[in-house]
Amino acid sequence: MRQKKNQKAIYVISFLLLLVGVGYLVVSGINKNSVYFLNVSEALAKDAESIKNAKVFGKVLAQDLEEKEDSLGVKFWLADKENQAQAIRIDYAGAVPDTFKPGIEVIVQGSMRETGSVFEAQSLMTKCPSKYKKQ
Amino acid sequence: MYLVAYYCLLLAFLLSLVLAGWILSSLSSYLDKKLCSFKWIERFQLINLFLLVLASFVLLWALYVRDFSFAYVVDYTDKTLPWFYALTAFWAGQEGSFLFWALFLSLFGSLFVFMSSYKSLSDLSKKYFWIFFFIIQACFLLVLTGPSNPFQQLSPPPIKGNGLNPLLQHPGMIFHPPLLFIGYAGFSIPACIGLSVSLGREDKSWLRISRNWVLFSWILLTAGIVLGAWWSYMELGWGGYWAWDPVENASLIPWLCATAFIHTSIIGRQRKSLGRTNIFLIGMTLLSCFLGTFLTRSGVLESLHAFSGQKVGGFLLVFMLFLLALILLVTFKGQAREKNQLSDFITTPGAMLVLAWLLLFTGIVVVLGTMWPVISKLWSENSIDVNADFYNQVCLPLFTISIFLLVFCPWLGKRSHSSSLVQITLVAFFFILAAVLWTQGMTKFLPLLAATSSITACFSIIILFFAEKGVRKVRTRWGAYGVHFGVALIALGVAFSGPYKQEREVVLHKGQSFSINDYTFTYKDFSKYTFPGMAAYQAKIEVSNADKIIGKLTPERRIYQNFKQPFAEVSVLPSLGNEIYATLLGFSRDQAVRLKVSVNPLVNWIWIGGTLMCLMGFVALKKKITYFDGQVDEVAG
């Protein structure tokens, strides 16, 4: 009988240990890897200092869209989905996805340049192209 | 036509609702119990199935003949699309995939009627089963007749359709969504059985009755996930098979929950313990299927795949809360037969329980991470998201421990002389292998542990089959250990191809070359092909390893008629060791090309392991189902 009780205690203790371990992983993981997830208006409302690492989503505008020649990247205006007057200049370095074009929704990740006028993006994701719905 | 199909759905909805109400009222003692006749319930269910089949045929026919008066047909097909891709548009969109899911739900419910396990249930259990089943079926039909109707008419019909996205015109994509949906639908049956048998207070083992259902659905879900990973590796041109995208997470959550249940149900069958846990877990498996759909279909997350479908989302949320309440109620109010105490901790069942914890924790982490933009809104002004690194940091250690458990799990709690000899051998093998891999340059701790564990786990399984005659003789054990062998191979593939993948993005002019490690890539030629409906631009890259030419890569960019943006067609040099992978990102007028090239070590073992998991899963199915916990006929690990 005593042994049975011991076994139960072992189960409980190992469960708690595992729980604490996972809890630690989650908390440290979130602290290290969380980024602001903002729309363009929210990003503009924040000061450049606080946008060190953020994801910004919005709609790609057609005007002043520059594909960088011979190198990887693109510069464009990203507008707020609801309020197109609010726009932010994005400078993206890296491979441009096939589905990138004016009018689509994208999520960029990166940081605001010190001057606060240009958002430097390291990653650019387009919303999955009409996997379920046409644009 | 659309009216016929629409009324079929509406009629099936009303029928399901009326049936649920009818059976529910027959439970109350005030009414004559004889009013509720199973013969009629079963017949009505067959009518439901017939109505859904009819509606599905209308949609398939409309897709086949490209009847553009159907909004759904216009959205997902055009005249140039080959007919088999046109038919697969059935599940390319939200409305169609819900119909597909509902169809299989109904089909499985109807099939269950003809099984001896159904006939063995008591009247009370049957009644509960049908109540749960009809509620779920009615829920789907409500969505299909309301916010997500696949039979919307366009008048006047447009002359041409939008066409199917070229990314979806790929063999991986033909089977990926239906496998997931059939898996989801399949879990409804064991969930209904579990809940109803525990409410019906029967003396039968619902775990035995539902074993094959769970396993079958699990196999399809696994196949769907692996196929989806392969598709994104081969077709999206990211060179990645898993990005922790919300949609990928959505299919992983039910898988984790179901896998945890499969292991606790073994403890339930053999030791007759964990009764309530099992009822709860099968319920949660079904619920997580809905959660997955909710995450992808509600627009709650700004996911890559999200689209506006708020109405469906709100409805699903209400239904999920209702289902959760129901599951909790049954878990605590229903009767759990399996009440025995757990075995000692250091035994195979003990390890299986720990594995179930690990899987469930992983599932909770994935839910937390996926929902974080929503959850963080509770205290933060702006929502906060987590990176893919978050999942890697939290989930990969948990997966690694799971693989580690697999090494010793079959040998735990055995006191015989030979098994302790085996354990010592395994420990020695483990450390020697780790040392060898370390000296070969695998110095990152977690991948090293995962790779060592997975190879040792394979070794452990092989020894088990050589050493124990009893194991060799049981077919289901071949299945179970075969699945685990597959899991170990996947872990091996991930441990290498994840952290040790090497990738470069370059711009090359003709004749130029660059290298990754010992591999040299030379840009030789550029050409253009045209086909009806599509034009392809192809770069030819010669690959050599230490001055020996090992092959030619031909990545392409294709432009399809109906789609303005180009699509990358990946080119690989397949190998069981280092797979070379190239994507053509772009090209300029003077034929300079932008390339992404990567060397992926052992990546193909993931697909081999995945295939093995699914095939051996079928071997683990039981031919004959026993209803009572009599003889100890299986000790699957």
Side-chain angles (χ1 to χ4, degrees):
Chain A
M1 201 56 212
R2 176 115 176 267
Q3 216 191 341
K4 278 282 163 215
K5 259 196 180 149
N6 277 342
Q7 290 299 329
K8 202 169 182 184
I10 294 176
Y11 272 104
V12 172
I13 290 168
S14 42
F15 181 82
L16 290 177
L17 275 178
L18 200 61
L19 191 66
V20 170
V22 174
Y24 168 76
L25 280 174
V26 169
V27 171
S28 70
I30 282 181
N31 282 338
K32 242 190 257 172
N33 300 302
S34 63
V35 291
Y36 274 121
F37 194 46
L38 310 163
N39 63 32
V40 173
S41 309
E42 285 170 330
L44 286 172
K46 281 193 162 311
D47 54 83
E49 270 299 292
S50 63
I51 310 184
K52 276 281 162 265
N53 189 10
K55 280 185 188 174
V56 181
F57 61 92
K59 217 171 175 179
V60 178
L61 290 184
Q63 69 207 38
D64 297 334
L65 195 149
E66 307 168 33
E67 290 251 9
K68 295 181 189 169
E69 260 306 306
D70 231 33
S71 69
L72 306 160
V74 61
K75 288 182 185 175
F76 61 97
W77 286 101
L78 188 69
D80 198 285
K81 249 196 309 181
E82 263 94 57
N83 180 5
Q84 303 243 342
Q86 297 265 31
I88 197 169
R89 187 71 176 164
I90 310 282
D91 183 349
Y92 166 65
V96 181
D98 289 339
T99 43
F100 183 86
K101 63 181 177 189
I104 64 156
E105 285 173 36
V106 297
I107 305 172
V108 288
Q109 187 176 349
S111 58
M112 210 66 159
R113 226 175 252 169
E114 305 268 308
T115 52
S117 55
V118 178
F119 186 87
E120 270 181 27
Q122 285 101 43
S123 87
L124 185 153
M125 283 183 287
T126 55
K127 285 208 164 188
C128 203
S130 64
K131 180 166 179 180
Y132 301 109
K133 205 79 183 166
K134 296 292 296 184
Q135 296 286 345
Chain B
M1 282 281 268
Y2 9 78
L3 277 184
V4 172
Y6 181 77
Y7 281 121
C8 276
L9 296 179
L10 196 63
L11 191 59
F13 166 64
L14 293 173
L15 198 55
S16 301
L17 211 58
V18 167
L19 284 167
W22 180 32
I23 306 165
L24 200 60
S25 67
S26 82
L27 284 174
S28 93
S29 51
Y30 298 109
L31 287 166
D32 187 0
K33 289 222 163 86
K34 283 188 185 137
L35 266 173
C36 180
S37 140
F38 289 110
K39 217 175 226 169
W40 279 104
I41 293 174
E42 289 149 17
R43 275 180 200 161
F44 278 126
Q45 172 52 26
L46 290 179
I47 293 175
N48 268 332
L49 176 63
F50 172 75
L51 292 170
L52 273 163
V53 169
L54 199 64
S56 306
F57 262 117
V58 171
L59 187 58
L60 279 175
W61 178 252
L63 287 167
Y64 183 71
V65 300
R66 313 298 144 80
D67 183 343
F68 289 141
S69 62
F70 282 75
Y72 193 80
V73 178
V74 176
D75 273 346
Y76 299 104
T77 64
D78 61 25
K79 290 253 154 109
T80 60
L81 199 66
W83 64 270
F84 51 91
Y85 281 127
L87 292 186
T88 67
F90 189 0
W91 49 73
Q94 179 192 342
E95 297 88 350
S97 43
F98 273 126
L99 179 59
F100 187 79
W101 186 344
L103 175 69
F104 272 84
L105 177 73
S106 194
L107 177 70
F108 288 152
S110 310
L111 276 179
F112 185 52
V113 168
F114 297 101
M115 292 186 173
S116 58
S117 48
Y118 169 76
K119 292 182 181 125
S120 78
L121 292 178
S122 75
D123 281 1
L124 189 59
S125 302
K126 273 189 200 169
K127 280 184 186 176
Y128 280 118
F129 174 84
W130 286 118
I131 292 171
F132 292 129
F133 180 81
F134 284 131
I135 289 175
I136 296 172
Q137 189 168 268
C139 163
F140 270 100
L141 289 162
L142 182 59
V143 173
L144 283 168
T145 47
S148 181
N149 174 16
F151 300 106
Q152 289 207 348
Q153 186 186 355
L154 286 183
S155 128
I159 304 155
K160 56 184 224 151
N162 291 334
L164 188 67
N165 190 307
L167 286 174
L168 303 187
Q169 299 179 27
H170 180 270
M173 211 52 199
I174 295 182
F175 298 108
H176 162 67
L179 283 170
L180 290 182
F181 290 127
I182 299 172
Y184 287 171
F187 283 122
S188 316
I189 304 296
C192 289
I193 297 174
L195 295 176
S196 57
V197 169
S198 93
L199 276 183
R201 298 180 182 273
E202 271 205 66
D203 198 29
K204 277 188 206 71
S205 169
W206 71 270
L207 295 171
R208 284 170 191 273
I209 294 173
S210 58
R211 183 183 181 276
N212 277 357
W213 279 107
V214 173
L215 214 49
F216 173 73
S217 315
W218 181 88
I219 295 167
L220 296 191
L221 190 57
T222 309
I225 293 172
V226 173
L227 207 57
W230 179 69
W231 172 77
S232 73
Y233 176 73
M234 289 305 288
E235 195 66 9
L236 288 184
W238 302 338
Y241 40 81
W242 199 263
W244 297 104
D245 175 84
V247 171
E248 292 169 330
N249 293 351
S251 63
L252 188 66
I253 297 163
W255 187 88
L256 290 166
C257 210
T259 312
F261 169 77
I262 288 176
H263 289 88
T264 54
S265 75
I266 295 171
I267 305 174
R269 286 200 301 271
Q270 283 166 12
R271 289 204 51 91
K272 299 182 200 60
S273 42
L274 297 180
R276 292 191 196 285
T277 309
N278 278 323
I279 295 167
F280 180 68
L281 279 184
I282 192 68
M284 292 319 277
T285 304
L286 179 62
L287 191 64
S288 58
C289 294
F290 290 110
L291 178 71
T293 317
F294 171 72
L295 286 177
T296 50
R297 298 298 151 92
S298 65
V300 62
L301 304 164
E302 285 284 340
S303 150
L304 294 182
H305 302 249
F307 60 91
S308 54
Q310 301 287 353
K311 282 181 285 180
V312 181
F315 179 80
L316 273 174
L317 189 63
V318 172
F319 179 69
M320 269 159 47
L321 289 175
F322 168 73
L323 197 61
L324 180 66
L326 204 63
I327 292 164
L328 287 174
L329 190 76
V330 177
T331 305
F332 291 105
K333 287 280 167 196
Q335 177 196 305
R337 313 168 42 251
E338 297 91 357
K339 286 186 212 158
N340 283 359
Q341 275 200 317
L342 287 166
S343 61
D344 286 359
F345 186 68
I346 309 287
T347 55
T348 310
M352 286 197 282
L353 186 60
V354 174
L355 176 78
W357 292 343
L358 284 167
L359 292 168
L360 290 175
F361 281 141
T362 315
I364 293 168
V365 168
V366 175
V367 174
L368 268 182
T370 314
M371 296 291 284
W372 203 246
V374 181
I375 299 170
S376 61
K377 271 273 186 189
L378 292 176
W379 63 86
S380 166
E381 190 193 340
N382 302 119
S383 66
I384 297 170
D385 199 5
V386 291
N387 286 340
D389 289 337
F390 164 76
Y391 298 100
N392 288 334
Q393 261 178 37
V394 182
C395 299
L396 294 184
L398 298 180
F399 284 137
T400 306
I401 303 172
S402 309
I403 299 297
F404 182 75
L405 281 179
L406 191 53
V407 177
F408 297 101
C409 178
W411 308 97
L412 293 177
K414 287 183 182 158
R415 299 242 162 77
S416 71
H417 177 66
S418 64
S419 87
S420 47
L421 195 70
V422 170
Q423 288 177 33
I424 294 167
T425 315
L426 285 175
V427 172
F429 184 87
F430 184 88
F431 281 108
I432 294 170
L433 184 65
V436 170
L437 288 175
W438 175 279
T439 52
Q440 294 297 309
M442 198 175 199
T443 49
K444 292 176 189 163
F445 174 71
L446 206 59
L448 178 69
L449 184 59
T452 315
S453 301
S454 52
I455 296 172
T456 318
C458 292
F459 182 55
S460 161
I461 291 171
I462 292 168
I463 296 181
L464 182 74
F465 274 77
F466 270 109
E468 305 221 348
K469 209 173 165 192
V471 179
R472 278 204 301 275
K473 277 189 176 162
V474 185
R475 182 174 51 90
T476 52
R477 294 195 116 201
W478 279 91
Y481 283 107
V483 170
H484 287 114
F485 206 91
V487 173
L489 292 182
I490 291 183
L492 182 68
V494 174
F496 276 91
S497 66
Y500 294 103
K501 165 185 174 177
Q502 282 179 309
E503 186 173 65
R504 277 190 68 182
E505 277 182 24
V506 288
V507 178
L508 292 182
H509 291 273
K510 250 185 220 170
Q512 284 184 325
S513 59
F514 73 102
S515 44
I516 300 177
N517 289 357
D518 298 339
Y519 296 99
T520 308
F521 302 87
T522 313
Y523 171 32
K524 287 280 181 192
D525 199 13
F526 191 84
S527 45
K528 181 186 174 183
Y529 305 92
T530 43
F531 300 98
M534 189 257 285
Y537 301 85
Q538 188 187 66
K540 279 200 180 64
I541 318 286
E542 197 176 76
V543 188
S544 57
N545 185 0
D547 296 334
K548 214 179 105 196
I549 294 172
I550 54 168
K552 212 171 245 174
L553 289 165
T554 53
E556 291 176 6
R557 271 179 101 66
R558 294 179 175 175
I559 299 181
Y560 290 81
Q561 201 176 35
N562 268 331
F563 293 82
K564 288 194 186 89
Q565 77 265 28
F567 289 85
E569 186 73 11
V570 166
S571 170
V572 294
L573 290 184
S575 157
L576 291 179
N578 284 329
E579 177 155 290
I580 316 278
Y581 179 105
T583 322
L584 181 58
L585 296 173
F587 52 87
S588 61
R589 262 189 218 117
D590 57 346
Q591 302 191 340
V593 290
R594 291 191 294 180
L595 292 170
K596 179 149 96 177
V597 180
S598 58
V599 178
N600 301 281
L602 305 193
V603 67
N604 278 319
W605 291 98
I606 298 174
W607 320 129
I608 295 171
T611 313
L612 196 64
M613 272 173 89
C614 301
L615 293 180
M616 294 312 275
F618 282 107
V619 178
L621 288 173
K622 272 203 176 298
K623 262 192 204 137
K624 214 175 139 214
I625 300 163
T626 47
Y627 307 130
F628 297 96
D629 300 312
Q631 73 279 34
V632 181
D633 52 356
E634 41 161 348
V635 198

